[in-house]
PDB file of all heavy atoms in Angstrom:
ATOM      1  N   ALA A 112      -9.541 -27.519   5.235  1.00  0.00           N
ATOM      2  CA  ALA A 112      -9.658 -27.012   3.843  1.00  0.00           C
ATOM      3  C   ALA A 112     -10.750 -27.853   3.145  1.00  0.00           C
ATOM      4  O   ALA A 112     -11.581 -27.324   2.393  1.00  0.00           O
ATOM      5  CB  ALA A 112      -8.403 -27.081   3.106  1.00  0.00           C
ATOM      6  N   ARG A 113     -10.762 -29.158   3.363  1.00  0.00           N
ATOM      7  CA  ARG A 113     -11.803 -30.089   2.777  1.00  0.00           C
ATOM      8  C   ARG A 113     -13.194 -29.727   3.274  1.00  0.00           C
ATOM      9  O   ARG A 113     -14.161 -29.709   2.638  1.00  0.00           O
ATOM     10  CB  ARG A 113     -11.489 -31.508   2.943  1.00  0.00           C
ATOM     11  CG  ARG A 113     -10.253 -32.007   2.287  1.00  0.00           C
ATOM     12  CD  ARG A 113     -10.430 -31.937   0.777  1.00  0.00           C
ATOM     13  NE  ARG A 113     -10.962 -33.233   0.272  1.00  0.00           N
ATOM     14  CZ  ARG A 113     -11.370 -33.453  -1.034  1.00  0.00           C
ATOM     15  NH1 ARG A 113     -11.341 -32.413  -1.865  1.00  0.00           N
ATOM     16  NH2 ARG A 113     -11.811 -34.588  -1.370  1.00  0.00           N
ATOM     17  N   MET A 114     -13.258 -29.458   4.619  1.00  0.00           N
ATOM     18  CA  MET A 114     -14.490 -29.129   5.285  1.00  0.00           C
ATOM     19  C   MET A 114     -15.066 -27.905   4.633  1.00  0.00           C
ATOM     20  O   MET A 114     -16.326 -27.733   4.430  1.00  0.00           O
ATOM     21  CB  MET A 114     -14.405 -28.893   6.750  1.00  0.00           C
ATOM     22  CG  MET A 114     -14.157 -30.152   7.570  1.00  0.00           C
ATOM     23  SD  MET A 114     -15.473 -31.432   7.529  1.00  0.00           S
ATOM     24  CE  MET A 114     -16.647 -30.651   8.668  1.00  0.00           C
ATOM     25  N   ALA A 115     -14.203 -26.931   4.334  1.00  0.00           N
ATOM     26  CA  ALA A 115     -14.612 -25.643   3.687  1.00  0.00           C
ATOM     27  C   ALA A 115     -15.210 -25.867   2.345  1.00  0.00           C
ATOM     28  O   ALA A 115     -16.012 -25.030   1.881  1.00  0.00           O
ATOM     29  CB  ALA A 115     -13.505 -24.696   3.613  1.00  0.00           C
ATOM     30  N   GLU A 116     -14.936 -27.073   1.673  1.00  0.00           N
ATOM     31  CA  GLU A 116     -15.489 -27.363   0.407  1.00  0.00           C
ATOM     32  C   GLU A 116     -16.917 -27.788   0.494  1.00  0.00           C
ATOM     33  O   GLU A 116     -17.571 -28.146  -0.516  1.00  0.00           O
ATOM     34  CB  GLU A 116     -14.633 -28.408  -0.362  1.00  0.00           C
ATOM     35  CG  GLU A 116     -13.295 -27.940  -0.852  1.00  0.00           C
ATOM     36  CD  GLU A 116     -12.471 -28.942  -1.271  1.00  0.00           C
ATOM     37  OE1 GLU A 116     -12.953 -30.088  -1.686  1.00  0.00           O
ATOM     38  OE2 GLU A 116     -11.156 -28.814  -1.230  1.00  0.00           O
ATOM     39  N   GLY A 117     -17.496 -27.941   1.711  1.00  0.00           N
ATOM     40  CA  GLY A 117     -18.807 -28.368   1.904  1.00  0.00           C
ATOM     41  C   GLY A 117     -19.027 -29.766   2.386  1.00  0.00           C
ATOM     42  O   GLY A 117     -20.109 -30.290   2.310  1.00  0.00           O
ATOM     43  N   TYR A 118     -17.991 -30.390   2.821  1.00  0.00           N
ATOM     44  CA  TYR A 118     -18.161 -31.772   3.343  1.00  0.00           C
ATOM     45  C   TYR A 118     -18.663 -31.647   4.781  1.00  0.00           C
ATOM     46  O   TYR A 118     -18.369 -30.752   5.534  1.00  0.00           O
ATOM     47  CB  TYR A 118     -16.833 -32.611   3.293  1.00  0.00           C
ATOM     48  CG  TYR A 118     -16.541 -32.953   1.821  1.00  0.00           C
ATOM     49  CD1 TYR A 118     -15.547 -32.204   1.027  1.00  0.00           C
ATOM     50  CD2 TYR A 118     -17.257 -33.955   1.161  1.00  0.00           C
ATOM     51  CE1 TYR A 118     -15.340 -32.489  -0.224  1.00  0.00           C
ATOM     52  CE2 TYR A 118     -16.899 -34.278  -0.168  1.00  0.00           C
ATOM     53  CZ  TYR A 118     -16.009 -33.552  -0.832  1.00  0.00           C
ATOM     54  OH  TYR A 118     -15.759 -33.866  -2.180  1.00  0.00           O
ATOM     55  N   ASP A 119     -19.306 -32.764   5.221  1.00  0.00           N
ATOM     56  CA  ASP A 119     -19.740 -32.841   6.577  1.00  0.00           C
ATOM     57  C   ASP A 119     -18.813 -33.650   7.479  1.00  0.00           C
ATOM     58  O   ASP A 119     -18.817 -33.496   8.707  1.00  0.00           O
ATOM     59  CB  ASP A 119     -21.177 -33.516   6.648  1.00  0.00           C
ATOM     60  CG  ASP A 119     -22.170 -32.753   5.815  1.00  0.00           C
ATOM     61  OD1 ASP A 119     -22.517 -31.575   6.206  1.00  0.00           O
ATOM     62  OD2 ASP A 119     -22.739 -33.315   4.806  1.00  0.00           O
ATOM     63  N   ILE A 120     -18.099 -34.626   6.875  1.00  0.00           N
ATOM     64  CA  ILE A 120     -17.096 -35.352   7.581  1.00  0.00           C
ATOM     65  C   ILE A 120     -15.916 -35.429   6.661  1.00  0.00           C
ATOM     66  O   ILE A 120     -15.986 -35.754   5.517  1.00  0.00           O
ATOM     67  CB  ILE A 120     -17.601 -36.793   7.847  1.00  0.00           C
ATOM     68  CG1 ILE A 120     -18.873 -36.796   8.764  1.00  0.00           C
ATOM     69  CG2 ILE A 120     -16.502 -37.603   8.612  1.00  0.00           C
ATOM     70  CD1 ILE A 120     -19.373 -38.176   9.030  1.00  0.00           C
ATOM     71  N   VAL A 121     -14.684 -35.175   7.284  1.00  0.00           N
ATOM     72  CA  VAL A 121     -13.508 -35.405   6.543  1.00  0.00           C
ATOM     73  C   VAL A 121     -12.676 -36.354   7.417  1.00  0.00           C
ATOM     74  O   VAL A 121     -12.349 -36.046   8.611  1.00  0.00           O
ATOM     75  CB  VAL A 121     -12.715 -34.090   6.237  1.00  0.00           C
ATOM     76  CG1 VAL A 121     -11.419 -34.427   5.587  1.00  0.00           C
ATOM     77  CG2 VAL A 121     -13.514 -33.145   5.419  1.00  0.00           C
ATOM     78  N   SER A 122     -12.278 -37.480   6.836  1.00  0.00           N
ATOM     79  CA  SER A 122     -11.652 -38.530   7.644  1.00  0.00           C
ATOM     80  C   SER A 122     -10.179 -38.607   7.242  1.00  0.00           C
ATOM     81  O   SER A 122      -9.857 -38.557   6.031  1.00  0.00           O
ATOM     82  CB  SER A 122     -12.350 -39.861   7.367  1.00  0.00           C
ATOM     83  OG  SER A 122     -11.648 -40.913   7.957  1.00  0.00           O
ATOM     84  N   GLY A 123      -9.334 -38.819   8.221  1.00  0.00           N
ATOM     85  CA  GLY A 123      -7.943 -39.028   7.894  1.00  0.00           C
ATOM     86  C   GLY A 123      -7.662 -40.429   7.384  1.00  0.00           C
ATOM     87  O   GLY A 123      -8.520 -41.363   7.665  1.00  0.00           O
ATOM     88  N   TRP A 124      -6.747 -40.532   6.514  1.00  0.00           N
ATOM     89  CA  TRP A 124      -6.455 -41.833   5.902  1.00  0.00           C
ATOM     90  C   TRP A 124      -4.987 -42.058   6.054  1.00  0.00           C
ATOM     91  O   TRP A 124      -4.141 -41.448   5.357  1.00  0.00           O
ATOM     92  CB  TRP A 124      -6.876 -41.812   4.476  1.00  0.00           C
ATOM     93  CG  TRP A 124      -6.483 -42.979   3.654  1.00  0.00           C
ATOM     94  CD1 TRP A 124      -6.029 -44.187   4.101  1.00  0.00           C
ATOM     95  CD2 TRP A 124      -6.580 -43.050   2.230  1.00  0.00           C
ATOM     96  NE1 TRP A 124      -5.687 -45.042   3.023  1.00  0.00           N
ATOM     97  CE2 TRP A 124      -6.037 -44.427   1.844  1.00  0.00           C
ATOM     98  CE3 TRP A 124      -6.962 -42.250   1.190  1.00  0.00           C
ATOM     99  CZ2 TRP A 124      -5.904 -44.839   0.562  1.00  0.00           C
ATOM    100  CZ3 TRP A 124      -6.885 -42.732  -0.155  1.00  0.00           C
ATOM    101  CH2 TRP A 124      -6.351 -43.971  -0.433  1.00  0.00           C
ATOM    102  N   ARG A 125      -4.684 -42.949   7.013  1.00  0.00           N
ATOM    103  CA  ARG A 125      -3.187 -43.195   7.305  1.00  0.00           C
ATOM    104  C   ARG A 125      -2.690 -44.077   6.209  1.00  0.00           C
ATOM    105  O   ARG A 125      -3.045 -45.223   6.069  1.00  0.00           O
ATOM    106  CB  ARG A 125      -3.086 -43.872   8.692  1.00  0.00           C
ATOM    107  CG  ARG A 125      -3.463 -43.029   9.813  1.00  0.00           C
ATOM    108  CD  ARG A 125      -3.736 -43.853  11.072  1.00  0.00           C
ATOM    109  NE  ARG A 125      -4.871 -44.715  10.904  1.00  0.00           N
ATOM    110  CZ  ARG A 125      -5.259 -45.545  11.925  1.00  0.00           C
ATOM    111  NH1 ARG A 125      -4.690 -45.603  13.007  1.00  0.00           N
ATOM    112  NH2 ARG A 125      -6.389 -46.355  11.706  1.00  0.00           N
ATOM    113  N   GLN A 126      -1.695 -43.509   5.434  1.00  0.00           N
ATOM    114  CA  GLN A 126      -1.156 -44.288   4.372  1.00  0.00           C
ATOM    115  C   GLN A 126       0.155 -45.014   4.805  1.00  0.00           C
ATOM    116  O   GLN A 126       0.580 -44.613   5.819  1.00  0.00           O
ATOM    117  CB  GLN A 126      -0.926 -43.399   3.183  1.00  0.00           C
ATOM    118  CG  GLN A 126      -2.289 -43.068   2.543  1.00  0.00           C
ATOM    119  CD  GLN A 126      -2.243 -42.154   1.395  1.00  0.00           C
ATOM    120  OE1 GLN A 126      -1.442 -41.306   1.357  1.00  0.00           O
ATOM    121  NE2 GLN A 126      -3.130 -42.301   0.523  1.00  0.00           N
ATOM    122  N   ASN A 127       0.569 -45.954   4.088  1.00  0.00           N
ATOM    123  CA  ASN A 127       1.647 -46.786   4.406  1.00  0.00           C
ATOM    124  C   ASN A 127       1.826 -47.111   5.923  1.00  0.00           C
ATOM    125  O   ASN A 127       2.788 -46.817   6.618  1.00  0.00           O
ATOM    126  CB  ASN A 127       2.966 -46.314   3.841  1.00  0.00           C
ATOM    127  CG  ASN A 127       3.269 -44.873   4.043  1.00  0.00           C
ATOM    128  OD1 ASN A 127       2.886 -44.319   5.083  1.00  0.00           O
ATOM    129  ND2 ASN A 127       3.810 -44.197   3.060  1.00  0.00           N
ATOM    130  N   ARG A 128       0.729 -47.705   6.453  1.00  0.00           N
ATOM    131  CA  ARG A 128       0.792 -48.118   7.882  1.00  0.00           C
ATOM    132  C   ARG A 128       1.460 -49.470   7.925  1.00  0.00           C
ATOM    133  O   ARG A 128       1.244 -50.281   7.037  1.00  0.00           O
ATOM    134  CB  ARG A 128      -0.646 -48.303   8.410  1.00  0.00           C
ATOM    135  CG  ARG A 128      -1.279 -47.011   8.492  1.00  0.00           C
ATOM    136  CD  ARG A 128      -2.705 -47.197   9.085  1.00  0.00           C
ATOM    137  NE  ARG A 128      -2.662 -47.541  10.453  1.00  0.00           N
ATOM    138  CZ  ARG A 128      -3.619 -48.239  11.108  1.00  0.00           C
ATOM    139  NH1 ARG A 128      -4.697 -48.657  10.430  1.00  0.00           N
ATOM    140  NH2 ARG A 128      -3.619 -48.498  12.401  1.00  0.00           N
ATOM    141  N   LYS A 129       2.241 -49.690   8.971  1.00  0.00           N
ATOM    142  CA  LYS A 129       2.882 -50.999   9.096  1.00  0.00           C
ATOM    143  C   LYS A 129       2.145 -51.817  10.204  1.00  0.00           C
ATOM    144  O   LYS A 129       2.583 -51.861  11.332  1.00  0.00           O
ATOM    145  CB  LYS A 129       4.320 -50.763   9.430  1.00  0.00           C
ATOM    146  CG  LYS A 129       5.089 -50.218   8.267  1.00  0.00           C
ATOM    147  CD  LYS A 129       6.400 -49.588   8.799  1.00  0.00           C
ATOM    148  CE  LYS A 129       6.811 -48.467   7.808  1.00  0.00           C
ATOM    149  NZ  LYS A 129       6.028 -47.220   8.030  1.00  0.00           N
ATOM    150  N   GLU A 130       1.054 -52.390   9.799  1.00  0.00           N
ATOM    151  CA  GLU A 130       0.260 -53.226  10.731  1.00  0.00           C
ATOM    152  C   GLU A 130       0.215 -54.620  10.234  1.00  0.00           C
ATOM    153  O   GLU A 130       0.281 -54.894   9.084  1.00  0.00           O
ATOM    154  CB  GLU A 130      -1.174 -52.642  10.775  1.00  0.00           C
ATOM    155  CG  GLU A 130      -1.163 -51.159  11.251  1.00  0.00           C
ATOM    156  CD  GLU A 130      -2.110 -51.119  12.494  1.00  0.00           C
ATOM    157  OE1 GLU A 130      -3.291 -51.050  12.258  1.00  0.00           O
ATOM    158  OE2 GLU A 130      -1.595 -51.027  13.631  1.00  0.00           O
ATOM    159  N   PRO A 131       0.067 -55.547  11.221  1.00  0.00           N
ATOM    160  CA  PRO A 131      -0.011 -56.982  10.783  1.00  0.00           C
ATOM    161  C   PRO A 131      -1.202 -57.254   9.898  1.00  0.00           C
ATOM    162  O   PRO A 131      -2.262 -56.737  10.154  1.00  0.00           O
ATOM    163  CB  PRO A 131      -0.134 -57.716  12.090  1.00  0.00           C
ATOM    164  CG  PRO A 131      -0.338 -56.729  13.181  1.00  0.00           C
ATOM    165  CD  PRO A 131      -0.011 -55.346  12.643  1.00  0.00           C
ATOM    166  N   MET A 132      -0.928 -58.009   8.866  1.00  0.00           N
ATOM    167  CA  MET A 132      -1.988 -58.298   7.852  1.00  0.00           C
ATOM    168  C   MET A 132      -3.191 -59.060   8.430  1.00  0.00           C
ATOM    169  O   MET A 132      -4.345 -58.526   8.283  1.00  0.00           O
ATOM    170  CB  MET A 132      -1.313 -59.159   6.728  1.00  0.00           C
ATOM    171  CG  MET A 132      -2.158 -59.424   5.572  1.00  0.00           C
ATOM    172  SD  MET A 132      -2.340 -58.006   4.585  1.00  0.00           S
ATOM    173  CE  MET A 132      -3.669 -58.458   3.470  1.00  0.00           C
ATOM    174  N   LEU A 133      -2.991 -60.133   9.060  1.00  0.00           N
ATOM    175  CA  LEU A 133      -4.066 -60.981   9.458  1.00  0.00           C
ATOM    176  C   LEU A 133      -4.928 -60.403  10.535  1.00  0.00           C
ATOM    177  O   LEU A 133      -6.196 -60.452  10.527  1.00  0.00           O
ATOM    178  CB  LEU A 133      -3.502 -62.324   9.920  1.00  0.00           C
ATOM    179  CG  LEU A 133      -4.559 -63.396   9.903  1.00  0.00           C
ATOM    180  CD1 LEU A 133      -4.928 -63.746   8.384  1.00  0.00           C
ATOM    181  CD2 LEU A 133      -3.943 -64.724  10.514  1.00  0.00           C
ATOM    182  N   THR A 134      -4.330 -59.748  11.614  1.00  0.00           N
ATOM    183  CA  THR A 134      -5.112 -59.326  12.726  1.00  0.00           C
ATOM    184  C   THR A 134      -5.663 -57.910  12.603  1.00  0.00           C
ATOM    185  O   THR A 134      -6.697 -57.601  13.141  1.00  0.00           O
ATOM    186  CB  THR A 134      -4.214 -59.372  14.036  1.00  0.00           C
ATOM    187  OG1 THR A 134      -3.091 -58.660  13.761  1.00  0.00           O
ATOM    188  CG2 THR A 134      -3.943 -60.747  14.449  1.00  0.00           C
ATOM    189  N   ARG A 135      -4.975 -57.091  11.794  1.00  0.00           N
ATOM    190  CA  ARG A 135      -5.525 -55.715  11.740  1.00  0.00           C
ATOM    191  C   ARG A 135      -5.979 -55.368  10.320  1.00  0.00           C
ATOM    192  O   ARG A 135      -7.118 -54.783  10.193  1.00  0.00           O
ATOM    193  CB  ARG A 135      -4.362 -54.738  12.074  1.00  0.00           C
ATOM    194  CG  ARG A 135      -4.099 -54.735  13.588  1.00  0.00           C
ATOM    195  CD  ARG A 135      -4.900 -53.651  14.302  1.00  0.00           C
ATOM    196  NE  ARG A 135      -4.741 -53.737  15.705  1.00  0.00           N
ATOM    197  CZ  ARG A 135      -4.221 -52.644  16.425  1.00  0.00           C
ATOM    198  NH1 ARG A 135      -3.777 -51.645  15.779  1.00  0.00           N
ATOM    199  NH2 ARG A 135      -4.096 -52.775  17.708  1.00  0.00           N
ATOM    200  N   ARG A 136      -5.171 -55.606   9.310  1.00  0.00           N
ATOM    201  CA  ARG A 136      -5.525 -55.075   8.032  1.00  0.00           C
ATOM    202  C   ARG A 136      -6.689 -55.770   7.230  1.00  0.00           C
ATOM    203  O   ARG A 136      -7.509 -55.191   6.782  1.00  0.00           O
ATOM    204  CB  ARG A 136      -4.280 -55.017   7.088  1.00  0.00           C
ATOM    205  CG  ARG A 136      -3.176 -54.161   7.536  1.00  0.00           C
ATOM    206  CD  ARG A 136      -2.647 -53.281   6.442  1.00  0.00           C
ATOM    207  NE  ARG A 136      -2.076 -53.925   5.287  1.00  0.00           N
ATOM    208  CZ  ARG A 136      -0.832 -54.372   5.184  1.00  0.00           C
ATOM    209  NH1 ARG A 136      -0.016 -54.091   6.178  1.00  0.00           N
ATOM    210  NH2 ARG A 136      -0.428 -54.943   4.109  1.00  0.00           N
ATOM    211  N   LEU A 137      -6.658 -57.194   7.454  1.00  0.00           N
ATOM    212  CA  LEU A 137      -7.682 -57.916   6.816  1.00  0.00           C
ATOM    213  C   LEU A 137      -9.103 -57.598   7.378  1.00  0.00           C
ATOM    214  O   LEU A 137     -10.017 -57.261   6.632  1.00  0.00           O
ATOM    215  CB  LEU A 137      -7.308 -59.396   6.927  1.00  0.00           C
ATOM    216  CG  LEU A 137      -7.837 -60.268   5.838  1.00  0.00           C
ATOM    217  CD1 LEU A 137      -7.119 -59.890   4.457  1.00  0.00           C
ATOM    218  CD2 LEU A 137      -7.697 -61.744   6.116  1.00  0.00           C
ATOM    219  N   PRO A 138      -9.174 -57.654   8.764  1.00  0.00           N
ATOM    220  CA  PRO A 138     -10.524 -57.363   9.329  1.00  0.00           C
ATOM    221  C   PRO A 138     -10.953 -55.900   8.978  1.00  0.00           C
ATOM    222  O   PRO A 138     -12.185 -55.688   8.682  1.00  0.00           O
ATOM    223  CB  PRO A 138     -10.307 -57.473  10.790  1.00  0.00           C
ATOM    224  CG  PRO A 138      -9.092 -58.169  11.015  1.00  0.00           C
ATOM    225  CD  PRO A 138      -8.265 -58.083   9.758  1.00  0.00           C
ATOM    226  N   SER A 139      -9.977 -54.978   8.869  1.00  0.00           N
ATOM    227  CA  SER A 139     -10.466 -53.616   8.643  1.00  0.00           C
ATOM    228  C   SER A 139     -10.906 -53.476   7.176  1.00  0.00           C
ATOM    229  O   SER A 139     -11.832 -52.759   6.835  1.00  0.00           O
ATOM    230  CB  SER A 139      -9.402 -52.526   9.091  1.00  0.00           C
ATOM    231  OG  SER A 139      -8.681 -52.165   8.047  1.00  0.00           O
ATOM    232  N   ALA A 140     -10.244 -54.144   6.287  1.00  0.00           N
ATOM    233  CA  ALA A 140     -10.663 -54.223   4.825  1.00  0.00           C
ATOM    234  C   ALA A 140     -12.045 -54.713   4.686  1.00  0.00           C
ATOM    235  O   ALA A 140     -12.925 -54.190   4.016  1.00  0.00           O
ATOM    236  CB  ALA A 140      -9.704 -54.913   3.963  1.00  0.00           C
ATOM    237  N   ALA A 141     -12.344 -55.834   5.425  1.00  0.00           N
ATOM    238  CA  ALA A 141     -13.613 -56.430   5.428  1.00  0.00           C
ATOM    239  C   ALA A 141     -14.729 -55.460   5.978  1.00  0.00           C
ATOM    240  O   ALA A 141     -15.801 -55.359   5.350  1.00  0.00           O
ATOM    241  CB  ALA A 141     -13.691 -57.744   6.272  1.00  0.00           C
ATOM    242  N   ALA A 142     -14.356 -54.822   7.054  1.00  0.00           N
ATOM    243  CA  ALA A 142     -15.282 -53.949   7.653  1.00  0.00           C
ATOM    244  C   ALA A 142     -15.584 -52.771   6.622  1.00  0.00           C
ATOM    245  O   ALA A 142     -16.800 -52.404   6.444  1.00  0.00           O
ATOM    246  CB  ALA A 142     -14.682 -53.356   8.931  1.00  0.00           C
ATOM    247  N   ASN A 143     -14.518 -52.226   6.055  1.00  0.00           N
ATOM    248  CA  ASN A 143     -14.776 -51.118   5.130  1.00  0.00           C
ATOM    249  C   ASN A 143     -15.630 -51.480   3.929  1.00  0.00           C
ATOM    250  O   ASN A 143     -16.491 -50.746   3.546  1.00  0.00           O
ATOM    251  CB  ASN A 143     -13.400 -50.623   4.569  1.00  0.00           C
ATOM    252  CG  ASN A 143     -12.541 -50.032   5.649  1.00  0.00           C
ATOM    253  OD1 ASN A 143     -13.069 -49.605   6.710  1.00  0.00           O
ATOM    254  ND2 ASN A 143     -11.328 -49.886   5.418  1.00  0.00           N
ATOM    255  N   TRP A 144     -15.476 -52.738   3.465  1.00  0.00           N
ATOM    256  CA  TRP A 144     -16.238 -53.179   2.288  1.00  0.00           C
ATOM    257  C   TRP A 144     -17.693 -53.325   2.706  1.00  0.00           C
ATOM    258  O   TRP A 144     -18.612 -52.924   2.023  1.00  0.00           O
ATOM    259  CB  TRP A 144     -15.748 -54.586   1.925  1.00  0.00           C
ATOM    260  CG  TRP A 144     -16.560 -55.253   0.792  1.00  0.00           C
ATOM    261  CD1 TRP A 144     -16.468 -54.964  -0.546  1.00  0.00           C
ATOM    262  CD2 TRP A 144     -17.525 -56.138   0.981  1.00  0.00           C
ATOM    263  NE1 TRP A 144     -17.395 -55.658  -1.275  1.00  0.00           N
ATOM    264  CE2 TRP A 144     -18.113 -56.434  -0.311  1.00  0.00           C
ATOM    265  CE3 TRP A 144     -18.097 -56.827   2.065  1.00  0.00           C
ATOM    266  CZ2 TRP A 144     -19.164 -57.326  -0.568  1.00  0.00           C
ATOM    267  CZ3 TRP A 144     -19.194 -57.680   1.861  1.00  0.00           C
ATOM    268  CH2 TRP A 144     -19.681 -57.978   0.538  1.00  0.00           C
TER     269      TRP A 144
END
Side-chain angles (χ1 to χ4, degrees):
R113 293 294 268 172
M114 289 297 281
E116 288 171 25
Y118 289 100
D119 301 298
I120 299 178
V121 178
S122 173
W124 170 13
R125 294 164 293 180
Q126 289 177 326
N127 46 39
R128 293 179 72 202
K129 292 159 208 75
E130 297 237 283
M132 185 73 192
L133 201 67
T134 52
R135 286 272 175 113
R136 294 229 302 270
L137 211 67
S139 97
N143 294 341
W144 177 81

